[in-house]
Amino acid sequence: MAAVAAEPKSRGIDYSKFDNIEDSDDEKPTNTASPSAPPRPAEKPTCHGCGKDVAEPKKCSQCKRVTYCSQACQRADWQYHKRGCKKPEEPKAPPESKPPPSSSSSEKKEAKAKKAEEKVVDDGDENLTWYRHREWKPTAEPKRDFAPAKIESPADAPVKVEAQATTEGSAWNAAGTWEDKDVTEFAHKIFKEHLKGFPTIDAAGGAIDIEDVDSVEGDAWKPVSRGRRLHMFDLSFKIKFTFKWMDSSGQRQIKGSIEVTDFTHDVFAEGVASKPDLRLSCPDLRVLDAGRKQATEAALGHKSWPPAAGTAMKAVEEKLKSWAAEYEKAADPTGFSPSDETPGKQNN
C-alpha cells in the first residue's frame, strides 16, 4: 500500500496571489513635482507713457516706481502721473523699548499710593464748617437776646441835590446826544453883511477894486454833541474885481472873479491844515503885457493860502475871520426856544 504525502500545515492567509495585480489609472500615485522645464523669462519693463517695451528703462526720479523710454514720454505723461507721484517713505525706526521699572521705583510708587489712601481728613479744617451745627454742645455762656435793627425808609433819608451841569441843546436832550440845527439862512445873511467895503489895492500902475461877494452857496449848521455846541459850515462864493490902469490911449479896465470853494469851519481852526480852493477867472488878462499881468496876479493873491499881505485876498481873509467870529458867538441864531421843542423831535 502506497504511502500518502502529508499536507503542509497552514501558516495563515497567503497574499502572494495579489502581487502581480496592477493598479488602475485612477489609483496610481500622481507625481506632484513639475517636470523639468526651461526657466520663465523675466518680464521686460514697459514705458508708462507709450506702453512699449524698454531696453534701457529710465525711472521717475521722485517715486522710483514707473519707467519711461525717453524724457519726451515722461513729459507727456506727467500731467497724469503727477497725481500719484510721491516720494517713497523712509522706513520708520522701531520704537525704543523702555527698560522695565526697577524694583525700587515700583516699591516707592506702591508706598506713595498706600500713604494717600491712609490720609485722614482733619475735621478742624477751616473750609469744612458747613456741618459744624451738628457738633454744637451747650456751654456755660449765658443766652443773649438779639433785637432787630431799625431800617430807615427812603423818605426819612436826606435827599442829596446835585447841581446839574449846564449843557447846550434842547431841554429834553439831557443825555447830550447828537442834536442838529440848520442855520444856513442866518449864515448867508451875515456873510453878505461882513464881506463888503473892501479897500482898493494898488497893482502894476493901476488899482484893483473888490466888489461885493456873489453866488454864496453851501450849508451851515450848529449841532450839539455830548453837551457841547459845534459851529460848522461849508460855503462857496465868488469875489468880483475890476482892475483899472492908464496907458497912452487913456484909462482902461478889465473885470474878473475869484471863485472860493471848500471854505469850511476848519480853515481858521488851530492845528488843522485846511485850505479853501481859489480859482481865478479873468479872460481879459491876455490884453496886458507880461510884466503888468504878472504884477496884477501877484496883487490878487489867489495862488497861496494864507494870502500874502497887501493883496486883495488878504483883505478878503480878514473879512472872513470877522464873519466866522460872529457866527460862533450866535449860539441860537434862529431864535428857537427849547421850550417849543417836542420830545423825540428835532427842529432843523
Side-chain angles (χ1 to χ4, degrees):
M1 180 175 186
V4 178
E7 295 181 3
K9 296 181 179 180
S10 173
R11 296 183 181 179
I13 302 173
D14 184 12
Y15 294 97
S16 59
K17 59 183 178 180
F18 300 105
D19 292 343
N20 297 325
I21 298 176
E22 295 182 2
D23 297 330
S24 62
D25 295 337
D26 297 335
E27 296 178 357
K28 287 182 180 180
T30 56
N31 188 7
T32 56
S34 59
S36 58
R40 191 174 182 180
E43 294 183 0
K44 292 184 179 180
T46 58
C47 178
H48 195 264
C50 62
K52 296 179 180 179
D53 294 340
V54 184
E56 297 179 359
K58 298 176 177 60
K59 289 187 177 181
C60 175
S61 60
Q62 183 168 336
C63 67
K64 310 293 184 182
R65 291 187 292 107
V66 297
T67 56
Y68 296 95
C69 61
S70 62
Q71 292 184 356
C73 268
Q74 184 180 10
R75 285 193 292 268
D77 186 57
W78 175 244
Q79 57 179 332
Y80 307 104
H81 175 58
K82 65 181 180 180
R83 302 172 187 172
C85 184
K86 294 182 180 179
K87 191 175 182 180
E89 298 181 358
E90 296 180 0
K92 296 182 180 179
E96 297 180 359
S97 58
K98 296 182 179 180
S102 60
S103 59
S104 59
S105 61
S106 60
E107 291 176 358
K108 289 181 181 179
K109 289 183 180 179
E110 292 178 1
K112 189 175 181 181
K114 187 175 181 180
K115 186 177 180 181
E117 292 176 358
E118 294 177 354
K119 184 178 180 181
V120 179
V121 179
D122 185 10
D123 291 342
D125 194 353
E126 295 180 357
N127 296 329
L128 303 177
T129 58
W130 58 272
Y131 60 89
R132 284 303 180 90
H133 64 281
R134 302 177 183 176
E135 301 178 359
W136 179 86
K137 295 180 180 180
T139 60
E141 184 179 356
K143 185 178 180 182
R144 292 180 298 174
D145 295 333
F146 295 93
K150 183 180 179 181
I151 300 176
E152 295 182 357
S153 62
D156 299 336
V159 179
K160 296 182 180 180
V161 180
E162 296 181 358
Q164 295 182 353
T166 304
T167 59
E168 298 283 352
S170 304
W172 59 266
N173 191 10
T177 57
W178 181 271
E179 179 184 349
D180 203 356
K181 182 172 291 189
D182 187 7
V183 293
T184 302
E185 184 178 355
F186 167 77
H188 286 195
K189 179 183 176 181
I190 65 173
F191 191 84
K192 293 180 180 179
E193 293 175 356
H194 278 75
L195 271 79
K196 60 183 180 180
F198 295 97
T200 301
I201 308 298
D202 296 333
I208 297 176
D209 294 328
I210 305 174
E211 303 175 3
D212 297 342
V213 296
D214 188 21
S215 303
V216 181
E217 298 178 355
D219 300 321
W221 61 101
K222 289 178 174 286
V224 175
S225 176
R226 298 182 179 180
R228 178 171 170 266
R229 185 174 294 280
L230 306 177
H231 311 279
M232 308 177 75
F233 56 86
D234 186 359
L235 303 177
S236 63
F237 54 92
K238 284 184 180 181
I239 301 173
K240 295 183 179 181
F241 66 89
T242 303
F243 174 57
K244 300 177 181 179
W245 78 98
M246 297 290 294
D247 60 5
S248 58
S249 61
Q251 185 178 13
R252 302 183 62 182
Q253 69 176 17
I254 57 174
K255 293 181 178 291
S257 64
I258 298 176
E259 183 180 4
V260 182
T261 57
D262 293 337
F263 175 60
T264 67
H265 49 276
D266 291 331
V267 171
F268 300 126
E270 296 182 1
V272 180
S274 179
K275 301 179 181 179
D277 187 17
L278 310 179
R279 296 183 183 180
L280 174 63
S281 176
C282 185
D284 294 338
L285 278 176
R286 62 178 180 271
V287 303
L288 303 177
D289 57 79
R292 178 166 288 177
K293 178 181 178 182
Q294 185 176 0
T296 304
E297 290 180 347
L300 289 173
H302 65 285
K303 294 184 177 181
S304 62
W305 189 272
T311 61
M313 285 306 304
K314 188 64 177 180
V316 174
E317 182 194 20
E318 294 175 356
K319 296 286 185 179
L320 292 175
K321 285 183 177 180
S322 65
W323 170 83
E326 182 175 347
Y327 176 74
E328 290 186 7
K329 289 180 182 179
D332 196 2
T334 59
F336 178 77
S337 176
S339 60
D340 299 336
E341 199 166 32
T342 304
K345 180 181 179 182
Q346 295 181 1
N347 291 12
N348 294 331

